[in-house]
C-alpha cells in the first residue's frame, strides 16, 4: 500500500479550517467534499484541513485526490491483500462506498504513534483521510475507535459557492456566468468553468484564480517574471507567447500575457490570457483559457471577473 503513504505527505501540505457541528453529524471542512463524524475530543484544526485534539497530539487530515487514486489503491489491494512491509490493508463500508485503510505503528520524532490512512471513492475525485495518534492517547483513540470514525466518512456532491469563495484571501464579486465553481486548494486557488470534472475543462472557457507566493524584486523584472510564470501554466502544450506587456489592474501594477497553445486530451487549440497583479509579498495570478473559436466571446467574461476581484 505504498500509494497510501505518499498521499499522507500531500495531505500535510494543505491548510484550512472547518465549522464545528454536533458530534453525531458528518462535518465537512469548508471547500471539501469529504466529511466524517469526528471522535469526541477532536476540535477545529488550526494549521491544516481537518481535526485535532486541544494539545495538537491527535491529528485527522482530510483532503481530495485525483479520481484515479482510489482505483490504484483498490487494484493494489486486490493484487496483494496481505499487504507489504507488515502493513495489511483492510476494506470498510462507508456511506460513500467501499473504502480501504491501513494502520501501522511508527515514530514521529521521539514519539511512538499509530498512523491510519483511508481512501474512498468520490466519483470524479478520491477522498483521503489520514490520522495520527500518539502513544499516550492510544487508550482513548483506539484502532476500533478510528475504524468507527472511518466508517462514518461520506461525500457531498457539491460545495456551496459562498463557502468556497469565503476561503479565498480575496473577494470575487463577479463570476462571469460560469457554470462550475470548484476550489482547487482551499484558500489557495479556485477554478470557474463552463465545463466540469466529468466533461473536462479545456474544451470550454475556464479561469483559474490564485496567488503566487513571490513577486519580482524590481519593477524592471516584471516582464521576465510574467513570461516565466506563463511557462508554468499546467495543461498547455506547444505554447507560444503572442503578447506580454505591462498594464494597470484596479490601479495596481500588472502584466498581461497571451499565449496560443494546445490543451486537453482532445488537443483543443486554445488562447490563454495570464494577468498578474503585483503588490505586497505575493502576486495574484488570473488565468483565462478558451478554445480559439470562442475566444472573442470569452475574453470579456474573463475581464469582468478580473475587474471584480477585490482585497479582503
Amino acid at each position: 500500500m505504498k500509494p497510501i503513504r505518499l498521499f499522507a505527505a500531500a495531505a500535510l501540505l494543505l491548510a484550512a479550517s472547518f465549522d464545528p457541528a454536533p458530534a453525531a453529524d458528518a462535518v465537512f471542512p469548508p471547500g471539501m467534499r469529504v466529511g466524517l463524524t469526528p471522535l469526541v475530543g477532536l476540535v477545529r484544526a488550526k494549521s491544516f484541513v481537518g481535526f485535532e485534539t486541544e494539545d495538537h497530539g491527535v491529528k485527522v487530515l482530510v483532503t481530495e485526490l485525483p479520481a484515479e487514486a482510489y482505483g490504484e489503491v483498490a487494484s493494489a489491494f486486490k493484487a496483494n491483500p496481505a499487504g507489504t512491509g507488515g502493513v495489511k490493508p483492510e476494506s470498510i463500508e462507508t456511506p460513500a462506498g467501499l473504502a480501504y485503510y491501513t494502520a501501522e505503528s511508527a515514530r514521529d520524532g521521539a514519539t511512538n504513534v499509530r498512523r491510519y490512512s483511508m481512501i474512498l471513492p468520490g466519483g470524479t475525485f478520491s477522498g483521503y483521510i489520514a490520522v495520527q495518534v500518539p502513544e499516550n492517547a492510544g487508550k482513548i483513540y483506539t484502532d476500533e475507535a478510528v475504524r468507527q470514525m472511518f466508517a462514518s466518512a461520506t461525500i457531498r456532491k457539491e460545495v456551496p459557492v459562498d463557502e468556497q469563495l469565503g476561503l479565498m484571501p480575496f473577494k470575487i464579486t463577479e463570476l462571469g456566468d460560469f457554470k462550475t465553481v470548484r476550489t482547487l486548494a482551499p484558500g489557495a486557488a479556485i477554478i470557474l468553468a463552463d465545463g466540469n470534472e466529468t466533461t473536462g475543462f479545456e474544451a470550454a472557457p475556464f479561469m483559474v484564480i490564485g496567488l503566487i507566493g513571490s513577486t519580482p524584486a524590481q519593477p524592471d523584472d516584471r516582464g521576465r517574471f510574467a513570461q516565466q510564470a506563463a511557462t508554468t501554466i499546467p495543461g498547455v502544450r506547444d505554447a507560444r507567447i503572442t503578447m506580454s506587456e505591462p498594464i494597470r489592474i484596479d490601479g495596481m501594477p500588472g502584466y498581461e500575457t497571451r499565449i496560443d497553445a494546445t490543451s486537453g486530451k482532445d488537443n483543443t487549440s486554445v488562447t490563454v490570457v495570464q494577468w498578474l497583479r503585483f503588490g505586497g509579498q505575493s502576486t495574484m495570478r488570473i488565468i483565462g483559457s478558451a478554445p480559439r473559436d470562442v475566444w472573442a466571446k470569452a475574453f470579456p467574461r474573463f475581464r469582468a471577473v478580473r475587474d471584480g476581484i477585490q482585497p479582503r
Side-chain angles (χ1 to χ4, degrees):
M1 296 293 281
K2 183 178 179 182
I4 292 270
R5 298 194 186 100
L6 296 177
F7 299 155
L12 285 165
L13 298 177
L14 300 177
S17 60
F18 68 89
D19 295 323
D25 298 329
V27 179
F28 294 89
M32 283 288 170
R33 291 169 287 181
V34 184
L36 51 73
T37 303
L39 293 171
V40 173
L42 292 171
V43 297
R44 173 177 177 162
K46 297 179 179 179
S47 60
F48 58 89
V49 181
F51 315 83
E52 64 183 350
T53 50
E54 294 267 353
D55 63 0
H56 314 299
V58 178
K59 297 178 174 65
V60 180
L61 310 169
V62 180
T63 192
E64 299 175 11
L65 298 173
E68 58 268 22
Y70 175 80
E72 291 174 0
V73 172
S75 296
F77 175 85
K78 294 172 184 176
N80 187 13
T84 58
V87 180
K88 184 180 183 300
E90 302 284 350
S91 61
I92 184 172
E93 286 291 346
T94 74
L98 185 65
Y100 299 95
Y101 79 97
T102 60
E104 60 183 308
S105 297
R107 290 182 68 83
D108 183 7
T111 304
N112 293 324
V113 299
R114 287 286 280 171
R115 286 181 176 155
Y116 309 83
S117 300
M118 184 177 75
I119 194 164
L120 61 156
T124 56
F125 67 100
S126 300
Y128 177 72
I129 302 168
V131 180
Q132 179 167 294
V133 178
E135 188 176 44
N136 62 6
K139 290 184 178 180
I140 298 174
Y141 299 95
T142 62
D143 286 358
E144 181 56 29
V146 173
R147 178 183 171 85
Q148 290 179 12
M149 182 172 64
F150 277 168
S152 73
T154 189
I155 298 293
R156 57 177 174 175
K157 292 184 178 180
E158 297 294 335
V159 179
V161 171
D162 288 345
E163 180 180 314
Q164 297 184 66
L165 297 180
L167 296 174
M168 303 307 295
F170 42 79
K171 295 180 182 178
I172 302 177
T173 62
E174 170 60 55
L175 296 178
D177 294 324
F178 284 104
K179 300 177 178 65
T180 299
V181 178
R182 171 70 62 223
T183 300
L184 297 178
I190 197 165
I191 185 169
L192 315 178
D194 283 342
N196 54 50
E197 290 168 306
T198 302
T199 62
F201 296 118
E202 296 88 353
F206 72 90
M207 300 185 73
V208 176
I209 306 167
L211 297 178
I212 299 175
S214 61
T215 191
Q218 301 293 332
D220 289 346
D221 295 332
R222 289 171 181 162
R224 176 183 54 80
F225 185 90
Q227 293 193 29
Q228 287 180 343
T231 64
T232 68
I233 296 174
V236 297
R237 304 183 300 278
D238 306 321
R240 179 175 63 89
I241 293 176
T242 60
M243 181 268 279
S244 192
E245 63 185 26
I247 61 171
R248 303 290 292 185
I249 303 176
D250 195 26
M252 298 291 289
Y255 230 91
E256 177 176 329
T257 304
R258 297 193 193 183
I259 303 164
D260 283 343
T262 301
S263 182
K265 61 182 180 181
D266 295 326
N267 295 318
T268 303
S269 295
V270 297
T271 296
V272 180
V273 61
Q274 172 189 264
W275 286 297
L276 300 182
R277 189 171 74 183
F278 303 109
Q281 301 301 310
S282 60
T283 301
M284 178 178 291
R285 178 158 77 163
I286 305 162
I287 297 170
S289 174
R292 213 159 294 160
D293 58 353
V294 298
W295 168 258
K297 291 183 179 180
F299 184 73
R301 297 170 66 193
F302 296 160
R303 192 165 52 192
V305 172
R306 181 202 71 184
D307 293 343
I309 299 174
Q310 302 173 1
R312 288 201 180 276

